[in-house]
């Protein structure tokens, strides 16, 4: 495969202009062609060839190139653990193309966190009057959970979980953060509350104070 050589330069090089960059790149190509040609001859193969379309050198075997000219590549082979909760806070809006079939079925969810993709959500999950009065919900925070993301789609698919309230208010914003990070903030169950002292007011006994370190 053809190898693209990318010149590395700092701000000082950039200030000296494009001519300096071209000269430096030409020197690198010259040096590379000499090095690869010598290695190719030593191995009994030709490492550099010229074509009619391109007068520059082409290296057939990337193994003949120095490490600084190689771009490391890799691919994900397995997901060990899903760290994100797949829930996000954001806003809903109508799709831009009103004539499409998707406009009749879905709305667009835009997360506040830009690391999360935009999501198609069913109109059935949205408020009943959202299509007729979308401006009334422009500042309303919603929680959406991603359920799928097809390889041939730019946007994920998800479901609206609930409406949190107006953006900028403390309670909706706090609830959204807790749900995004999967924090259980529901009320304690009766079984948990029964473990607490029932005779109030409750005080720490002197015996407990004597054997404990006071961190108050």
């Amino acid at each position: 495969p053809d190898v693209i050589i990318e010149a590395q330069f700092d701000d000082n090089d950039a200030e000296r202009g494009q001519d300096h960059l071209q000269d430096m790149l030409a020197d690198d190509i010259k040096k590379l062609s000499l090095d690869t040609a010598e290695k190719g001859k030593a191995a009994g193969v030709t490492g550099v060839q010229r074509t009619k379309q391109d007068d520059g050198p082409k290296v057939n075997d990337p193994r003949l190139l120095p490490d600084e000219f190689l771009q490391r590549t890799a691919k994900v082979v397995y997901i060990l653990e899903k760290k994100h909760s797949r829930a996000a806070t954001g806003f809903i809006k109508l799709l831009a193309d009103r004539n499409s079939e998707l406009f009749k079925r879905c709305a667009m969810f835009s997360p506040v966190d830009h690391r999360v993709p935009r999501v198609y959500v069913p109109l059935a999950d949205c408020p009943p009057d959202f299509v007729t009065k979308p401006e009334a919900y422009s500042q309303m925070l919603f929680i959406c959970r991603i359920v799928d993301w097809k390889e041939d789609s730019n946007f994920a698919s998800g479901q609206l979980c609930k409406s949190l309230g107006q953006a900028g208010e403390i309670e909706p914003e706090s609830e959204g953060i807790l749900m995004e990070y999967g924090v259980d903030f529901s009320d304690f169950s009766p079984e948990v509350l029964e473990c607490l002292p029932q005779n109030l007011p409750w005080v720490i006994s002197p015996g407990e104070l004597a054997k404990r370190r006071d961190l108050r």
Side-chain angles (χ1 to χ4, degrees):
D2 295 345
V3 176
I4 299 174
I5 303 172
E6 182 177 350
Q8 309 254 343
F9 62 99
D10 55 19
D11 293 339
N12 294 329
D13 293 327
E15 290 174 0
R16 278 181 274 173
Q18 187 69 20
D19 293 338
H20 172 73
L21 176 59
Q22 290 177 349
D23 293 341
M24 187 170 64
L25 184 58
D27 291 341
D28 286 343
I29 292 176
K30 248 182 233 180
K31 180 176 180 298
L32 176 62
S33 63
L34 291 173
D35 291 345
T36 52
E38 289 175 1
K39 290 180 181 178
K41 287 175 183 177
V45 296
T46 302
V48 179
Q49 66 178 11
R50 294 181 180 274
T51 62
K52 294 180 180 179
Q53 292 84 1
D54 186 5
D55 292 335
K58 291 183 181 294
V59 181
N60 291 329
D61 191 352
R63 291 175 296 180
L64 299 176
L65 288 171
D67 286 345
E68 59 265 24
F69 293 112
L70 296 178
Q71 173 64 53
R72 307 279 180 190
T73 59
K75 66 178 181 179
V76 177
V77 295
Y78 188 76
I79 298 175
L80 287 175
E81 183 182 359
K82 294 181 179 180
K83 300 291 288 184
H84 197 273
S85 65
R86 300 298 188 270
T89 59
F91 305 93
I92 55 173
K93 57 184 179 181
L94 294 174
L95 299 181
D97 188 0
R98 295 177 175 270
N99 297 322
S100 66
E101 285 296 319
L102 200 59
F103 180 86
K104 302 174 184 177
R105 297 185 288 107
C106 296
M108 179 64 71
F109 175 82
S110 297
V112 175
D113 186 349
H114 297 293
R115 296 172 299 179
V116 181
R118 285 181 287 177
V119 185
Y120 286 133
V121 293
L123 283 177
D125 293 349
C126 301
D129 57 345
F130 168 67
V131 176
T132 56
K133 296 192 300 182
E135 64 280 354
Y137 299 94
S138 61
Q139 295 301 314
M140 185 76 69
L141 276 177
F142 290 85
I143 281 283
C144 174
R145 191 172 296 276
I146 297 174
V147 296
D148 192 20
W149 193 356
K150 298 186 182 301
E151 294 181 359
D152 58 350
S153 176
N154 291 330
F155 308 111
S157 301
Q159 295 177 336
L160 283 185
C161 297
K162 63 181 295 187
S163 170
L164 297 177
Q166 289 293 321
E169 296 182 359
I170 293 178
E171 289 188 7
E173 297 277 1
S174 300
E175 185 177 349
I177 293 172
L178 293 171
M179 292 189 70
E180 282 183 7
Y181 286 92
V183 179
D184 183 6
F185 57 96
S186 59
D187 293 336
F188 289 111
S189 64
E191 291 78 13
V192 174
L193 295 177
E194 287 176 2
C195 298
L196 299 175
Q198 303 299 317
N199 298 325
L200 302 177
W202 178 80
V203 294
I204 304 175
S205 65
E208 287 292 329
L209 281 175
K211 65 183 182 181
R212 294 179 181 269
R213 182 178 176 188
D214 195 346
L215 297 176
R216 290 175 297 179

